[in-house]
Amino acid sequence: MGGKQLGFSDYELTTAKKQTKREKFLSEMEAVVPWLALIDLIEPHYPKASKKGGRPPYPLATMLRVHLLQQWYSLSDPAMEEALIEVPTMRRFAGIELISDRIPDETTILTFRHLLEKHDLGEQIIQTVKTHLSARGMTMRQGTIVDATLIAAPSSTKNKDGKRDPEMHQTKKGNQWYFGMKVHIGVDKDSGLIHSVVTTAANVHDLTPAAELLHGDEEVVYGDAGYQGITKRPEMAGHSPVFRVAMRPGKRRALPDTPEGRLEDLIEAAKAHVRAKVEHPFRVIKQQFGFEKTRLRGLAKNRCKINVMAALTNLFLARGHLLAAA
């Protein structure tokens, strides 16, 4: 790549004795992200410096770091540009010196995201991270938990088209209507790491993409009551795991107060205890990284984004193991 060596963890605090939460987080991410593997993945698609002269492209390592900062802190393209100007910690992480370096503007940040979307690099990024984790002993084993969560989309028509996003739809959950998309994930039952991601409009039933969430080596699959009937789906014909799907809430509440009824309730409680692990990645994506509402229009752009976020979520959840092994 040339240029100066990027490195955030080597920076020594000169103005504060106490490390901030942001500095601690970015130091950990510096150590656990497989930078070289990701750069090797993206580099064949990244623009090269022109032999005719002109302004050279920003270093790929810098743009990758800026893109990851954008996901971790849920920043729009203009907000990311401003953060690089205003927040020294982020600049240092990106390897940018304010005096000597150009700071990527919002158009450059947008162009890098479009490059990832164009070449389907989001899906390749999560595969690269899975390979990285597997090489460090965090393999996807015999059990999968499937689940889905809703991500809201702007319902306003105050845009240049005067319409809501045509690829997003509304659905009813409980007594409330939601407009947006749905993220379906398959999570390893032991490690709690995401191994499969599918994005759909919000009105697509959880069962529809369920087969795509299985890696094929499962011996057991867990799901909530929304996955009732999964074994009857024709696309499940090639899968032979044991399905442990939750009982419908009304049926569980109606269980008799008998030894048999109490045993069934205990079994349901045990299933729920395992399924709870799938909530950890969703919490990271929505609460830690702030992805509760789409900023991008269309499923393709959001599919790329959610795959990158799933990869970053796995690294965040696995950071203790990775840092201990470093």
Side-chain angles (χ1 to χ4, degrees):
M1 288 301 300
K4 63 180 179 295
Q5 181 67 37
L6 291 172
F8 178 79
S9 58
D10 294 332
Y11 172 78
E12 294 186 9
L13 299 175
T14 57
T15 58
K17 294 180 181 179
K18 185 177 179 181
Q19 192 179 40
T20 66
K21 286 183 180 179
R22 180 184 286 134
E23 287 167 333
K24 182 177 185 294
F25 171 79
L26 292 179
S27 291
E28 290 177 345
M29 293 303 102
E30 172 76 33
V32 302
V33 172
W35 297 108
L36 292 179
L38 294 179
I39 287 171
D40 288 344
L41 171 68
I42 301 168
E43 195 162 29
H45 309 285
Y46 197 69
K48 307 295 187 291
S50 174
K51 294 180 180 178
K52 298 179 181 179
R55 179 172 287 188
Y58 287 89
L60 171 54
T62 291
M63 293 311 302
L64 174 60
R65 286 165 179 266
V66 169
H67 186 72
L68 298 196
L69 284 167
Q70 196 174 14
Q71 309 316 309
W72 286 324
Y73 294 101
S74 190
L75 297 171
S76 66
D77 300 332
M80 187 67 248
E81 179 187 354
E82 288 186 8
L84 290 172
I85 295 169
E86 296 174 353
V87 185
T89 310
M90 290 191 176
R91 265 200 318 278
R92 290 194 298 271
F93 184 83
I96 296 170
E97 292 180 9
L98 190 59
I99 298 174
S100 60
D101 291 342
R102 293 177 292 141
I103 288 183
D105 61 18
E106 61 179 279
T107 302
T108 305
I109 294 167
L110 169 70
T111 301
F112 184 80
R113 174 164 53 77
H114 283 175
L115 179 137
L116 298 184
E117 294 162 1
K118 178 182 177 181
H119 299 286
D120 296 321
L121 289 172
E123 294 179 18
Q124 295 178 58
I125 284 170
I126 190 172
Q127 293 300 326
T128 299
V129 168
K130 282 165 56 179
T131 300
H132 175 72
L133 293 171
S134 179
R136 284 148 185 80
M138 304 196 75
T139 55
M140 305 303 168
R141 301 182 179 87
Q142 289 78 32
T144 288
I145 311 166
V146 293
D147 203 358
T149 192
L150 291 164
I151 303 289
S155 56
S156 172
T157 57
K158 293 179 180 179
N159 52 61
K160 64 180 181 180
D161 298 322
K163 299 176 182 178
R164 298 196 301 183
D165 189 334
E167 295 185 23
M168 304 292 171
H169 291 277
Q170 64 180 24
T171 189
K172 194 174 185 182
K173 184 177 180 181
N175 292 319
Q176 190 170 350
W177 284 95
Y178 295 86
F179 177 77
M181 61 183 280
K182 192 178 279 189
V183 176
H184 311 255
I185 61 173
V187 167
D188 181 67
K189 134 181 129 54
D190 295 319
S191 67
L193 300 179
I194 301 169
H195 61 68
S196 308
V197 184
V198 176
T199 54
T200 67
N203 62 339
V204 174
H205 196 282
D206 292 359
L207 277 174
T208 303
E212 298 176 62
L213 300 177
L214 306 184
H215 54 63
D217 294 327
E218 295 93 349
E219 295 177 1
V220 60
V221 175
Y222 291 82
D224 63 24
Y227 293 92
Q228 285 283 344
I230 191 171
T231 57
K232 298 175 184 177
R233 304 281 296 191
E235 62 269 24
M236 287 294 175
H239 297 278
S240 57
V242 174
F243 289 94
R244 293 179 180 162
V245 178
M247 186 181 290
R248 296 199 183 280
K251 186 177 179 182
R252 185 177 177 185
R253 286 193 296 270
L255 287 172
D257 188 15
T258 62
E260 292 80 8
R262 289 192 290 272
L263 177 60
E264 282 198 70
D265 190 64
L266 285 172
I267 291 170
E268 289 304 307
K271 290 181 190 175
H273 180 73
V274 175
R275 287 200 318 276
K277 197 167 281 189
V278 79
E279 297 301 329
H280 298 173
F282 283 147
R283 182 195 64 79
V284 173
I285 290 170
K286 297 175 92 169
Q287 303 298 322
Q288 179 77 26
F289 298 158
F291 187 46
E292 296 185 282
K293 192 169 189 176
T294 63
R295 187 178 283 119
L296 310 174
R297 285 173 68 85
L299 286 175
K301 292 178 180 180
N302 282 291
R303 183 177 299 116
C304 182
K305 178 181 177 68
I306 199 63
N307 273 283
V308 172
M309 296 202 78
L312 297 179
T313 295
N314 280 352
L315 291 169
F316 180 80
L317 292 172
R319 70 193 187 283
H321 176 89
L322 295 171
L323 291 169

